[in-house]
Amino acid sequence: MNKITFVDTTLRDAHQSLWNGQMTTAMMLPIAPIIDQVGFEALDFMALISMDWCIRNQKENPWDRLKLMSKAMPNTPLIVGGVLRNFGNVPDSVTEFWAKTVAKAGAGLIRINDPCHDMAEIKKAIKWSKSAGLTTMVALIYSYSPVHTDEYYAEKAKQMALAGAERIFIKDVDGLLTPERTRTLVPAILKKINGIPLEIHGHCTTGLAPICYLEAVKLGVTTVHTAVSPLANGPSQPSIENILKNLPHLKFSADIDEDALKAMTQHFQYIAQREGFPMGAPVEYDLFQYEHQVPGGMMSNYKAELARRGLSGRLNALLGEIAQIRKELGFPIMVTPLSQYIGAQAILNQTGGERYKVVTDEVIKYVLGHFGELAAPVEKSVLDKILKMPRTNELENWEPPEKSIESLRREFGEDLSDEDFLLRVLSSNQASLDDVLAAGPKKYDYPRGDKPILSLIEELSKRKDGASVQIQKGDFFLELR
């Protein structure tokens, strides 16, 4: 039987999609040695932007997370990365320095996602990453539109291969891929990448991703990205349990330790129950998804923002507005950060009394081509309106601000370690970072979910309000004082 390998997304994309990124280092660390035994080819672990998330929302040092987990899982390479181009917030010098520093801290692979498939930016990121000693994984970000054809993706894949990508993966962030499209897309890409391994990373937003995975495997995809079942399905990835069950029927196999996998699954089931986090579940098919294409991870945040503004009752109208904006702007791919830009513009269009009366700087920059080549031209009526705005003239020659590492060190502190320096540059909340650094190393204690009785005993033994712990089952009796 031909072998299929698995990239696990549980500790990054899956909990970001299903649990709003609330998994902490303490929840990961106790089960890490078991995860290391499962047999994953690699583990999707950390994005560039998630370092700031760790600081702001979890009061944790992301470098501790990376180093502790890489030490606990020496046999499973960790994947970092994400959007590595400068949209005006992170200079190229910082991203390049970050790549070198995460490699030293224990990362093994790097994901390179460019929302516009801008080859100049992708080539730059490949060069940085290889120089840092990281294996490069470049994303073909899938979208459904008249211009995102098989030929479009085949040509982009060819360019990625020529640029030196070591791995290429289809990234269906919006859950739009269908089995029928998979049957034409995968062969078109494979013909152009000169034997480079092709992988698939999908989201179950429409419920079709598991079927697409199986179709992709039949056609020559060798690696699939999955999560354990408590964090699979819905806006997340397919479950590894489901794919493993179906592979033998297609005459494929995988070298997965199913006992270790079971223990890993039990641990995250326990966390979901203990913390009140949702358990992944299959979703019903939603045809509207193909119009607005809002990613599952963004949808929860968007609903929260609408609630904050008192606009919850206008969700469907806003999703329809997003679909219209996509068409007018030449079908930008709904992926970070473009999806957020379009979502913000939709609110302005719906609440401003006139569509495009106010246009965000980010949308103007996109229309002017500052974020890369547009997949299709902007509709003339919208383009004319935007080009007539005074702000458009001001941004016509905009370039993302660049600063050298040396100048940034003078700004943030020349005595900082490389890791603390990067946290200073990347953090959006310096006060939160002050607290994290002042607190020093944390204790990452959390019960093992696959050993519930042992975890219960450990927790009870730490309590100060009891003299002893008694355990009895049949003739067995144990008392701990």
Side-chain angles (χ1 to χ4, degrees), residues 172-248:
D172 182 18
V173 67
D174 303 324
L176 304 171
L177 200 58
T178 65
E180 293 80 11
R181 183 65 187 277
T182 303
R183 295 184 194 114
T184 62
L185 180 64
V186 169
I189 294 170
L190 285 171
K191 288 177 183 176
K192 298 289 185 177
I193 58 177
N194 299 322
I196 294 173
L198 182 62
E199 310 176 22
I200 187 166
H201 176 110
H203 289 250
C204 299
T205 321
T206 60
L208 297 179
I211 307 171
C212 294
Y213 274 33
L214 298 176
E215 290 295 331
V217 165
K218 289 192 290 185
L219 294 163
V221 164
T222 54
T223 301
V224 295
H225 296 203
T226 59
V228 292
S229 53
L231 285 109
N233 295 303
S236 183
Q237 286 72 52
S239 76
I240 182 174
E241 291 91 343
N242 176 265
I243 302 300
L244 276 176
K245 182 176 69 175
N246 284 301
L247 283 180

Side-chain angles (χ1 to χ4, degrees), residues 361-377:
D361 282 1
E362 290 77 17
V363 168
I364 293 173
K365 291 171 187 175
Y366 175 82
V367 167
L368 292 173
H370 292 322
F371 298 151
E373 181 184 358
L374 276 61

Side-chain angles (χ1 to χ4, degrees), residues 147-347:
V147 295
H148 291 97
T149 62
D150 291 351
E151 292 75 20
Y152 170 89
Y153 284 109
E155 180 57 31
K156 292 297 183 182
K158 176 183 176 181
Q159 294 174 21
M160 291 171 181
L162 292 173
E166 293 160 281
R167 298 166 67 151
I168 295 173
F169 66 107
I170 300 168
K171 182 177 176 67
D172 182 18
V173 67
D174 303 324
L176 304 171
L177 200 58
T178 65
E180 293 80 11
R181 183 65 187 277
T182 303
R183 295 184 194 114
T184 62
L185 180 64
V186 169
I189 294 170
L190 285 171
K191 288 177 183 176
K192 298 289 185 177
I193 58 177
N194 299 322
I196 294 173
L198 182 62
E199 310 176 22
I200 187 166
H201 176 110
H203 289 250
C204 299
T205 321
T206 60
L208 297 179
I211 307 171
C212 294
Y213 274 33
L214 298 176
E215 290 295 331
V217 165
K218 289 192 290 185
L219 294 163
V221 164
T222 54
T223 301
V224 295
H225 296 203
T226 59
V228 292
S229 53
L231 285 109
N233 295 303
S236 183
Q237 286 72 52
S239 76
I240 182 174
E241 291 91 343
N242 176 265
I243 302 300
L244 276 176
K245 182 176 69 175
N246 284 301
L247 283 180
H249 298 288
L250 301 177
K251 309 302 181 188
F252 288 92
S253 64
D255 291 330
I256 294 293
D257 184 327
E258 297 199 25
D259 289 335
L261 177 62
K262 182 180 179 181
M264 179 182 174
T265 298
Q266 289 173 339
H267 177 74
F268 290 107
Q269 285 174 336
Y270 172 80
I271 290 175
Q273 293 164 356
R274 178 185 171 102
E275 303 292 337
F277 294 159
M279 296 275 277
V283 298
E284 293 183 336
Y285 186 71
D286 180 10
L287 196 56
F288 194 23
Q289 180 70 26
Y290 290 85
E291 298 180 40
H292 63 74
Q293 302 190 17
V294 173
M298 173 183 162
M299 185 67 82
S300 58
N301 293 333
Y302 200 57
K303 288 178 179 178
E305 177 63 17
L306 295 183
R308 188 183 69 81
R309 293 170 178 252
L311 297 172
S312 295
R314 299 174 69 173
L315 175 62
N316 283 340
L318 284 160
L319 293 177
E321 179 66 29
I322 287 172
Q324 184 65 23
I325 292 172
R326 282 194 67 250
K327 181 180 177 183
E328 292 166 342
L329 297 188
F331 303 101
I333 298 176
M334 290 292 285
V335 66
T336 300
L338 300 185
S339 53
Q340 286 83 359
Y341 297 165
I342 294 169
Q345 187 61 48
I347 294 175

Side-chain angles (χ1 to χ4, degrees), residues 322-439:
I322 287 172
Q324 184 65 23
I325 292 172
R326 282 194 67 250
K327 181 180 177 183
E328 292 166 342
L329 297 188
F331 303 101
I333 298 176
M334 290 292 285
V335 66
T336 300
L338 300 185
S339 53
Q340 286 83 359
Y341 297 165
I342 294 169
Q345 187 61 48
I347 294 175
L348 291 173
N349 282 6
Q350 284 282 303
T351 61
E354 178 186 338
R355 299 184 73 243
Y356 298 108
K357 181 180 180 180
V358 177
V359 180
T360 67
D361 282 1
E362 290 77 17
V363 168
I364 293 173
K365 291 171 187 175
Y366 175 82
V367 167
L368 292 173
H370 292 322
F371 298 151
E373 181 184 358
L374 276 61
V378 178
E379 286 191 5
K380 188 176 186 305
S381 60
V382 174
L383 179 62
D384 289 346
K385 192 166 190 175
I386 293 175
L387 291 180
K388 289 177 182 177
M389 293 178 170
R391 184 60 175 158
T392 304
N393 290 331
E394 296 172 7
L395 293 172
E396 185 174 359
N397 297 313
W398 176 87
E399 291 185 0
E402 297 290 355
K403 289 185 177 181
S404 68
I405 294 297
E406 291 73 20
S407 65
L408 287 166
R409 279 197 177 278
R410 288 193 294 271
E411 181 179 341
F412 286 97
E414 294 182 309
D415 295 332
L416 293 172
S417 68
D418 290 349
E419 293 173 0
D420 287 354
F421 163 71
L422 283 166
L423 293 182
R424 286 291 176 195
V425 175
L426 295 171
S427 176
S428 63
N429 189 321
Q430 294 294 318
S432 292
L433 179 57
D434 288 340
D435 293 342
V436 168
L437 295 178

